[in-house]
Amino acid sequence: ATAQIGVTGLAVMGRNLARNLARNGFSVAVHNRTPARTRSLVAEHGDEGTFVPSESLADFVGSLERPRAVIVMVKAGAPTDAVIDELIPLLEEGDIVVDCGNAHFADTRRREEALRAHGLHFVGTGVSGGEEGALRGPSIMPGGSAESYQKLGPIFEKIAAQVEGESCCRHVGPDGAGHFVKMVHNGIEYADMQLIAEAYDLLRAGLSATPAEIAEIFREWNGGELESFLIEITADVLGHTDAATGKAFVDVVLDQAEQKGTGRWTVQSALDLGIPITGIAEATFARSLSGHADQREAARRVFPDAGEKWQVDDRDTFVEDVRRALLASKIVAYAQGFDHIRAGSREYDWNIDLGGTATIWRGGCIIRARFLDRIKEAYDGEPDLSTLLVAPWFAERVSAGVPAWRRVVADAARAGVPAPAFASSLAYFDALRAARLPAALIQGLRDNFGAHTYHRVDRAGSFHTLWAGDRSEVEG
Ligand code: NBP
């Protein structure tokens, strides 16, 4: 046995992860169901490090040092279960199975429990950054036992992206914690992209600007507080010209956003936990809406555009307003995402370090951004922070942005430009800070039709009004 770690599943992600391990000096056992992939990896990249190829799973397992660490990088779902079932009889107590696929955290919890019964560690690990990340340094979110992390930590922390000398990998928490955090990461990515798309749409409508002109605005924004990978590539995509037609690339792409389902998972989980992640939900629904071409066509016919042109008065003020509204809405989306992680951590006893999570996302992943440093500072400074919105750095930006935020949302509504994530983030902010919410009326209605009772502001206890009787109040 000579290999320190193994990878089974050598499609694009597994192949690149194995290469990353080898390039970092780790000896890597490699295996794939179809051996041709294993052979081509070794033939094309064998000189990058030490690969120990095997054509059977038994030989692969036999080539690993104990305790064995096997990374499974196959299609999520049934293929992952099939590979795990094949591995179990080949492994021995204390060995570690790492699932780096995009698994749902509930599946990870189930698998962890099943493998624990066999004396094996199961480590559901979120890996973000796509193909390039897997090869050059992804953001890595490992769950599973602390014991398994003793073996995996030094390896994963080395192959992960590094930002200012700090690794974008750290142990997230037990069983499904890693995949849960990866799921919320993807949800935040949905919100971030929707907000960027709305900002672009508003700039385009309000300024009658071309995509190339808007690319310039994003390039400028990337030099400031909004600096992030997504803002950077937005400038790139908006500035791109379609070779076939000579038109702006963004104008020749069908305007129907697709999804693989992690946004939906995030929203479903948030509903279960009772956490209002309105930004992520709006973003997920906005993608769904864009795909309903028939309904859009029907609505367009019945409610045609009035044809009035929207032209903002002052270009620079408007651009700055949109920037501030984008930053404030983005802060809301991250605040909600971190609330969701905290709720999951409490529900499943994961004890997740929120500031540490922000550190993992500073590099390697799609939502890498300058302001993640501020999130880390906020939670490190006050681990029980009630919401990121009230942490000083964020509170300042939100307060300073409120007038702009209101103008942008109002302008969008007047001009008929849909800005669901901007509007809903502002509504969330206003609801959080409201002295009184109309929830009191909802409680009254519930008591009226269903005797569901209510609490009073002036006395402890539950109460019910005899709505159909003499309207006197009784203890509920
Ligand atoms: P795929 O998701 O396309 O899966 C292909 C791999 O699964 C091949 O190695 C294939 O073997 C293997 N496989 C299948 Br399918 N069924 C199998 C079975 N029953 N037994 C054994 N092996 C089986 O690969 P990918 O695109 O590299 O993605 C791998 C994982 O990483 C997925 O979970 C994916 O969701 C995730 N992912 C993450 C990111 C990211 O940015 N984090 C990006 C892309 C993918 P074969 O060669 O014999 O058919």
Side-chain angles (χ1 to χ4, degrees), residues 9-14 32-34 37 73-76 78-79 82-83 86 100-103 127-131 182 260:
L10 301 174
V12 20
M13 289 295 289
N32 191 71
R33 176 179 64 178
T34 309
R37 284 198 205 268
M73 205 37 157
V74 301
K75 208 178 216 26
V83 172
E86 272 182 76
C100 285
N102 262 339
V127 178
S128 176
E131 293 172 36
K182 169 65 172 25
K260 284 194 182 163

Side-chain angles (χ1 to χ4, degrees), residues 271-458:
L271 288 172
D272 290 342
L273 293 167
I275 303 300
I277 52 163
T278 54
I280 298 172
E282 285 297 349
T284 307
F285 285 132
R287 287 200 196 183
S288 311
L289 188 154
S290 75
H292 287 282
D294 292 354
Q295 285 185 331
R296 289 175 59 192
E297 172 65 29
R300 226 172 13 246
R301 256 185 272 121
V302 175
F303 310 108
D305 211 329
E308 287 164 36
K309 229 149 173 55
W310 173 34
Q311 185 70 49
V312 301
D313 300 334
D314 179 342
R315 181 188 186 278
D316 291 348
T317 307
F318 181 67
V319 171
E320 177 58 9
D321 275 3
V322 174
R323 188 193 71 81
R324 285 172 180 256
L326 175 57
L327 181 61
S329 303
K330 187 175 153 127
I331 291 171
V332 165
Y334 278 72
Q336 294 175 342
F338 276 83
D339 283 352
H340 188 187
I341 293 174
R342 175 164 44 201
S345 179
R346 284 187 183 148
E347 174 74 13
Y348 304 110
D349 276 331
W350 285 330
N351 200 18
I352 297 176
D353 171 357
L354 297 179
T357 302
T359 312
I360 306 179
W361 297 342
R362 291 203 306 160
C365 67
I366 308 300
I367 63 170
R368 58 187 186 262
R370 191 202 267 196
F371 95 156
L372 286 163
D373 291 347
R374 304 302 188 162
I375 297 181
K376 176 165 170 46
E377 275 167 26
Y379 283 112
D380 283 357
E382 201 181 335
D384 292 327
L385 191 63
S386 68
T387 161
L388 199 55
L389 281 174
V390 303
W393 191 88
F394 296 98
E396 258 172 52
R397 263 103 203 132
V398 168
S399 296
V402 166
W405 208 359
R406 296 197 192 290
R407 280 193 294 273
V408 169
V409 169
D411 280 353
R414 266 192 297 267
V417 177
F422 271 40
S424 137
S425 309
L426 179 58
Y428 173 87
F429 165 76
D430 279 327
L432 265 196
R433 57 178 279 282
R436 288 278 295 162
L437 286 172
L441 175 58
I442 290 173
Q443 284 299 83
L445 297 174
R446 293 177 71 244
D447 189 60
N448 181 297
F449 68 67
H452 292 302
T453 75
Y454 49 88
H455 299 291
R456 297 182 56 99
V457 295
D458 51 359

